[in-house]
Amino acid sequence: MSNIASLESELLTAVSSAKDEVALEAVRVAALGKSGSVSALLKTLGAMTPDERKVQGPAINGLKDKVGAAIAARKDELAASALDSRLASETVDVTLPVREAPAESGRVHPISQVIDELTAIFADMGFAVAEGPDIETDDYNFTKLNFPEGHPAREMHDTFYFNPKPDGSRLLLRTHTSPVQVRTMLSQKPPIRVICPGRTYRSDSDQTHTPMFHQVEGLVIDKGSHLGHLKWILQEFCKAFFEVDNVNMRFRPSFFPFTEPSLEVDIQCKRGKDEIRFGEGEDWLEILGCGMVHPNVLKNCGLDPDEYQGFAWGMGIDRIAMLKYGMHDLRAFFEADQRWLDHYGFRPLDFPTLAGGLSS
């Protein structure tokens, strides 16, 4: 009995001094495992006389129960201590702002937003969206648009050319989205009502120009289209895009090889220290170019200028985005600065609609 009492004291001390669950498991195996000290005592019961078994049996089984209970209690203590330590090291500052959901944390680039706004406005007027390749032929980019070989008007565009082919022809990065108008006229029969948004390229770079920028052009071809229709479309677009009730526009004579007559369009505005407000004030700001499609362009695209006439216009998407949303440097559009995008970008689920608001 003294041996049992001594073993009990030894095992309970080992249990209470176990510093973690690994050490506690080692004590359990040493005591209650198949080859443990308590298990060894239990095996001796079979060799005892009945009288000895009556005395030793309850004592050994009592030892087993005490050690098992002590191990279970110590395991709970260690688990509670581990939890307390974890809670102390992983405290949450409830004063911090709640993190945005992944679907809310991203931002739509202002250029993508403005393209969606343009599409919504012109789709409401019955226009489809036409697209074409960024790499174009000289024929589509210049010749069919009434830029003859060697004509000084070609110098208006600082063009990125590819290396000449064996036949001497050279592909280029389109300098405007007008080749999409050509492709549309060659592939569709009038009436035609399309807008052509996309990337364009010119060798120019400063605060308001970049080598790659975005344009949107519009084209209407029909038998009875005229400048009055063009003016109404542009005025309705400006009112919808800048979200004002009324806007005055000024049309000035200009020159573009692919339109005749050609016009520059100014929009009424009020210039402030840090903003431009449209639909009010006494200032004017040039915003786009337009005109009636040149008869030579219609002929080059297989249309009879005696039967059809049309008008076209073009504007810089980056420029009107800067005007509407108060951005002062075009180069920031392409620098991939996350801070800039967080400030000027749009939430991904806020789709622009005429009914719900373009920039809400």
Side-chain angles (χ1 to χ4, degrees):
M1 293 292 290
S2 60
N3 290 339
I4 294 177
S6 175
L7 181 59
E8 177 182 333
S9 176
E10 178 184 338
L11 293 176
L12 293 180
T13 300
V15 169
S16 62
S17 61
K19 297 185 178 299
D20 52 40
E21 292 192 10
V22 175
L24 184 62
E25 176 64 11
V27 174
R28 187 196 68 79
V29 171
L32 305 178
K34 186 177 295 186
S35 300
S37 56
V38 177
S39 300
L41 287 176
L42 289 172
K43 293 178 181 178
T44 63
L45 291 175
M48 294 181 183
T49 64
D51 292 337
E52 290 176 330
R53 196 177 300 123
K54 286 180 182 181
V55 176
Q56 296 293 333
I60 297 173
N61 282 309
L63 172 63
K64 177 183 177 183
D65 293 341
K66 287 182 181 180
V67 173
I71 290 174
R74 183 58 179 165
K75 186 174 183 179
D76 291 341
E77 290 177 5
L78 292 173
S81 178
L83 179 60
D84 290 340
S85 299
R86 182 179 177 187
L87 291 175
S89 63
E90 298 181 5
T91 54
V92 176
D93 187 350
V94 295
T95 64
L96 291 174
V98 178
R99 291 183 179 179
E100 289 184 304
E104 294 291 331
S105 61
R107 290 294 181 268
V108 174
H109 196 283
I111 293 299
S112 299
Q113 173 76 11
V114 169
I115 290 175
D116 286 346
E117 293 180 16
L118 295 170
T119 303
I121 294 170
F122 285 113
D124 191 60
M125 298 185 193
F127 284 79
V129 175
E131 296 180 321
D134 290 15
I135 299 175
E136 270 292 2
T137 64
D138 183 270
D139 183 46
Y140 280 8
N141 196 79
F142 289 124
T143 306
K144 279 189 166 55
L145 291 166
N146 203 35
F147 289 81
E149 288 288 344
H151 194 283
R154 287 181 181 244
E155 299 178 5
M156 295 167 57
H157 301 67
D158 297 320
T159 310
F160 290 104
Y161 283 98
F162 289 86
N163 293 330
K165 294 183 177 181
D167 62 2
S169 63
R170 300 170 70 183
L171 294 175
L172 52 86
L173 293 176
R174 65 185 183 188
T175 59
H176 43 193
T177 56
S178 300
V180 182
Q181 296 186 35
V182 172
R183 291 175 176 274
T184 302
M185 286 186 280
L186 289 171
S187 61
Q188 298 180 22
K189 293 183 178 180
I192 296 172
R193 292 178 181 82
V194 296
I195 59 169
C196 314
R199 292 181 294 270
T200 52
Y201 308 84
R202 295 180 191 177
S203 182
D204 199 359
S205 181
D206 56 38
Q207 186 173 352
T208 56
H209 298 84
T210 54
M212 188 276 287
F213 56 102
H214 300 80
Q215 272 191 344
V216 60
E217 297 186 11
L219 174 69
V220 172
I221 303 292
D222 210 336
K223 293 183 178 181
S225 56
H226 54 75
L227 281 177
H229 296 147
L230 170 62
K231 290 181 177 181
W232 178 86
I233 287 173
L234 296 179
Q235 188 169 37
E236 290 302 306
F237 163 74
C238 288
K239 289 195 297 184
F241 181 75
F242 293 111
E243 301 181 61
V244 294
D245 295 329
N246 187 45
V247 62
N248 292 324
M249 305 184 77
R250 185 171 65 183
F251 292 77
R252 295 178 287 104
S254 185
F255 167 76
F256 304 111
F258 34 80
T259 53
E260 180 60 39
S262 300
L263 304 166
E264 296 277 7
V265 180
D266 303 328
I267 184 173
Q268 176 194 21
C269 67
K270 180 180 180 181
R271 299 175 188 268
K273 183 178 180 180
D274 297 314
E275 65 175 354
I276 299 178
R277 300 179 66 87
F278 296 97
E280 58 183 88
E282 299 180 354
D283 295 323
W284 296 93
L285 180 69
E286 180 185 324
I287 193 172
L288 59 90
C290 62
M292 298 299 294
V293 178
H294 199 290
N296 289 345
V297 176
L298 295 175
K299 291 179 183 177
N300 292 338
C301 296
L303 299 176
D304 185 353
D306 293 327
E307 182 179 3
Y308 295 106
Q309 61 185 24
F311 52 81
W313 70 89
M315 68 187 85
I317 296 177
D318 318 73
R319 175 172 168 76
I320 61 174
M322 293 173 69
L323 292 175
K324 181 173 181 178
Y325 294 112
M327 305 170 210
H328 304 290
D329 194 328
L330 183 61
R331 292 168 292 191
F333 280 63
F334 309 102
E335 291 177 349
D337 189 325
Q338 186 64 45
R339 297 165 300 176
W340 183 90
L341 187 58
D342 287 341
H343 179 73
Y344 287 109
F346 295 81
R347 294 183 180 276
L349 299 181
D350 290 342
F351 298 107
T353 64
L354 295 179
L358 293 176
S359 57
S360 59

